[in-house]
Amino acid sequence: MEFKFGGSETNQKTVLGHPSGLFVLFFTEMWERFSYYGMRALLVLFLVSSMLDEGWGWERADALLLYGWYTGLVYITPIFGGLIADKLTGYRNAVVIGALLMTLGHAAMALEVFSDPFFYVGLGLLIIGNGMFKPNISSMVGQLYLNQGKEKDAGYTIFYMGINAGAFLGILLCGYIGESVGWHYGFGLAGVFMFFGMLQFYFAQGIFGRIGLSPQKTQDFDDAIENTLDDAKDAIEDTVEDAKSSLVTRDRLIVIGVLAFFTIFFWWAFEQAGGSMTIFAADYTDRILVGSGALTFKIFNTVLTIVPMLIITWVLGMLFKQTYAKYALSNILLGTSFVIIWGIVIWMLVREFNADVAEVKASWFGILNSFFIIAFAPLFSKLWQSKYNPSGPVKFAIGLILLGLGFGILAYGSINIPLGAKEASVSMMFLVFAYLFHTLGELCVSPVGLSYVSKLAPVKLVGLMFGVWFVANFIANTAAGITGSYMDPILEEKGLAYFFMIFTLIPIGAGVLMLILNKTLIKKMHGIR
């Protein structure tokens, strides 16, 4: 039998035209994103909530600094996680190790009620676990396909949908339970599904055949590190020599550097979503709805929740059909997780419908990003394939300008908030439209940047250039938390509108500069589009 896809014979059975193993990875990644975004939605809210509300009562500045360092470090550890998997554990073991560490991290955070150190231990485990998990499960997706054509691109698109489905459900459910029932239950729920994701992956990993197995040669870790550093050094030296003699190589590396620099401005502003924008939702937004407004929101929230759940459950059923005979235990565990999630969804919706007043949770606004991605990604995909497809630098510029406009909406909505005010009742529509513009900007920047790195980087330095991209994200996320920590001082002296105008003008300015550089950058790409 000639295999069309990598992996085992069972992996040749398709779901939606793709290998079954893709959907094992899809659901594993979905639960990991559920846990990450579920915890991320609660982190700042928990820290700034008063002790009477079972929070820590931190100052906003301190909470936003911790948030910035946490989200920043999440982008550094995958560099080392990929190295460990390449040289020591293999991708599959790295994914299991990462998932287990994250499960333990969520458990530690849930146990914070007994002692504060549990919280910090939990954050540390989540950072390290993410580093082992994130780069290696993505690498396995690519190895499922024996060719580099459109099927592989489509496979990554489906995988990306799994990421957003997990983020959507994690923010929605962990956020709701954390705010409504108790913070520790929200943190714990994120860990429960990370554990199910790990188990379903572990018991189905035979479907991948030899994909992701540990390296044949056993090396001490120190030797592996030393050899990898030597390899990287040699690759850099070769590329430097090539750049000296080749104008094309040098110019393309310059373009990667420019794109990496400008992506810092994008994520620096965008990552206010889990920080200052969450605080704005909690303290400055009118989230209480009554009468017809309450009923409209309840219906909208129900549709918004049920439709994605039905689609994902349908995909789950197709995976069952293809793999249950061979991997029954994995399927049973995955099915159990969905029974639990459906139970929580139905409980939440019934509870909300029976409430006299609809209160939109502060964490709820975070789901809008995932919802808008799912809604608009197909449109952008078709646009990029049409005659209206702009160059990479122009897409970056559009993304930065749209992001700035989103913050401009928040700045406008904050104009009437008095200096130093700790709470207000601004219409929630300002946040809704801000998230819309931010998401449209993300669709112009996020997929485009990674694509251009892979196209422009010399073959020997592709991995290193992705590392540079991760470092840019680390700088952006950390800077986002540091800048956000000045929210209160700026609010006291200049007002909240002034604070959001910072995130309006700087990205728009960066976008205009990118437009000015467009022709120069296109020339330096030497034919790469």
Side-chain angles (χ1 to χ4, degrees):
M1 177 183 176
E2 185 177 349
F3 285 2
K4 181 180 179 182
F5 303 106
S8 68
E9 184 176 345
T10 306
N11 197 45
Q12 309 312 305
K13 297 179 179 179
T14 61
V15 176
L16 299 175
H18 291 271
S20 299
L22 174 66
F23 293 90
V24 173
L25 298 177
F26 173 99
F27 285 110
T28 306
E29 176 71 9
M30 189 186 85
W31 288 137
E32 187 276 330
R33 291 291 87 183
F34 180 101
S35 75
Y36 173 77
Y37 279 99
M39 193 286 298
R40 178 177 170 271
L42 293 175
L43 181 59
V44 170
L45 291 173
F46 164 71
L47 291 172
V48 301
S49 292
S50 68
M51 292 185 179
L52 289 174
D53 293 326
E54 300 182 353
W56 276 9
W58 277 22
E59 293 295 328
R60 293 170 178 174
D62 296 329
L64 291 170
L65 273 175
L66 180 62
Y67 169 81
W69 279 107
Y70 169 70
T71 56
L73 289 171
V74 157
Y75 281 97
I76 287 292
T77 51
I79 298 173
F80 302 102
L83 172 64
I84 292 169
D86 282 338
K87 296 295 182 181
L88 214 61
T89 63
Y91 299 137
R92 274 150 61 171
N93 287 336
V95 168
V96 173
I97 292 168
L100 178 60
L101 288 172
M102 285 186 283
T103 300
L104 294 174
H106 285 296
M109 293 182 75
L111 293 173
E112 174 274 336
V113 66
F114 297 109
S115 178
D116 290 355
F118 277 113
F119 183 81
Y120 296 108
V121 169
L123 282 180
L125 289 171
L126 287 172
I127 291 167
I128 297 169
N130 179 82
M132 292 295 289
F133 186 99
K134 192 170 182 62
N136 298 310
I137 193 168
S138 298
S139 298
M140 289 183 66
V141 174
Q143 294 182 37
L144 291 173
Y145 297 87
L146 298 179
N147 61 67
Q148 301 295 317
K150 293 181 179 179
E151 280 186 342
K152 187 174 183 178
D153 291 342
Y156 270 106
T157 300
I158 290 174
F159 186 68
Y160 191 60
M161 294 293 281
I163 291 173
N164 283 286
F168 178 89
L169 291 172
I171 295 170
L172 179 70
L173 299 181
C174 293
Y176 181 83
I177 288 177
E179 290 191 75
S180 302
V181 182
W183 306 111
H184 307 97
Y185 292 102
F187 291 137
L189 182 68
V192 167
F193 291 104
M194 185 69 261
F195 185 61
F196 273 110
M198 178 191 72
L199 291 178
Q200 73 97 17
F201 174 84
Y202 180 81
F203 289 110
Q205 62 181 306
I207 199 170
F208 302 114
R210 299 194 60 79
I211 293 173
L213 290 177
S214 58
Q216 291 296 317
K217 295 179 181 178
T218 57
Q219 295 174 295
D220 290 331
F221 182 60
D222 290 342
D223 292 339
I225 297 288
E226 185 177 345
N227 291 342
T228 301
L229 292 176
D230 288 341
D231 292 344
K233 182 181 177 182
D234 291 341
I236 293 170
E237 289 174 351
D238 290 345
T239 305
V240 168
E241 289 299 317
D242 188 25
K244 288 179 180 177
S245 59
S246 171
L247 177 67
V248 173
T249 300
R250 185 187 67 193
D251 283 352
R252 287 176 176 173
L253 287 174
I254 289 172
V255 174
I256 291 174
V258 171
L259 293 178
F261 176 72
F262 277 90
T263 199
I264 292 173
F265 292 100
F266 183 87
W267 295 114
W268 161 76
F270 186 90
E271 277 301 320
Q272 296 303 312
S276 61
M277 287 177 68
T278 296
I279 290 174
F280 182 81
D283 297 337
Y284 298 99
T285 302
D286 182 8
R287 297 179 286 109
I288 304 297
L289 298 172
V290 295
S292 60
L295 180 60
T296 300
F297 173 77
K298 290 174 182 178
I299 294 172
F300 175 74
N301 191 46
T302 299
V303 174
L304 194 65
T305 306
I306 293 293
V307 171
M309 281 295 299
L310 288 173
I311 293 171
I312 298 167
T313 306
W314 171 63
V315 173
L316 176 71
M318 289 190 288
L319 180 63
F320 268 35
K321 183 178 178 181
Q322 299 290 38
T323 63
Y324 187 85
K326 185 75 173 178
Y327 302 105
L329 181 55
S330 174
N331 281 278
I332 289 169
L333 289 165
L334 184 57
T336 301
S337 68
F338 266 77
V339 170
I340 295 171
I341 207 82
W342 268 110
I344 295 171
V345 164
I346 293 169
W347 167 79
M348 177 191 75
L349 294 175
V350 169
R351 189 172 189 258
E352 284 301 293
F353 256 99
N354 288 335
D356 295 329
V357 176
E359 180 184 357
V360 183
K361 304 302 178 187
S363 58
W364 180 88
F365 294 94
I367 71 172
L368 294 173
N369 177 238
S370 296
F371 170 72
F372 288 139
I373 283 179
I374 294 168
F376 288 100
L379 175 63
F380 274 73
S381 178
K382 288 185 179 297
L383 184 63
W384 299 157
Q385 293 173 349
S386 72
K387 64 180 181 180
Y388 300 107
N389 181 31
S391 67
V394 170
K395 289 175 184 173
F396 255 65
I398 294 171
L400 284 160
I401 291 169
L402 287 171
L403 177 70
L405 292 174
F407 279 105
I409 291 169
L410 289 180
Y412 178 75
S414 305
I415 286 177
N416 294 322
I417 296 176
L419 294 181
K422 291 299 183 184
E423 56 184 36
S425 297
V426 172
S427 169
M428 67 176 68
M429 294 310 297
F430 289 109
L431 267 175
V432 172
F433 281 109
Y435 273 107
L436 172 61
F437 276 83
H438 290 183
T439 304
L440 297 178
E442 180 186 2
L443 288 169
C444 293
V445 171
S446 185
V448 173
L450 294 174
S451 174
Y452 270 87
V453 171
S454 65
K455 292 174 184 176
L456 293 167
V459 175
K460 290 182 179 179
L461 283 188
V462 170
L464 184 63
M465 289 299 100
F466 276 114
V468 169
W469 204 260
F470 277 128
V471 171
N473 278 273
F474 162 73
I475 294 170
N477 280 263
T478 307
I482 293 171
T483 311
S485 70
Y486 288 94
M487 181 180 185
D488 279 344
I490 293 173
L491 173 63
E492 294 283 346
E493 294 185 16
K494 303 286 187 178
L496 200 54
Y498 186 95
F499 175 78
F500 285 126
M501 280 302 294
I502 295 172
F503 299 101
T504 301
L505 297 177
I506 292 178
I508 289 177
V512 171
L513 184 56
M514 183 64 87
L515 285 175
I516 295 171
L517 293 173
N518 178 46
K519 289 184 179 179
T520 302
L521 293 175
I522 289 176
K523 185 178 179 181
K524 287 186 178 297
M525 290 183 195
H526 295 280
I528 296 293
R529 290 286 294 176

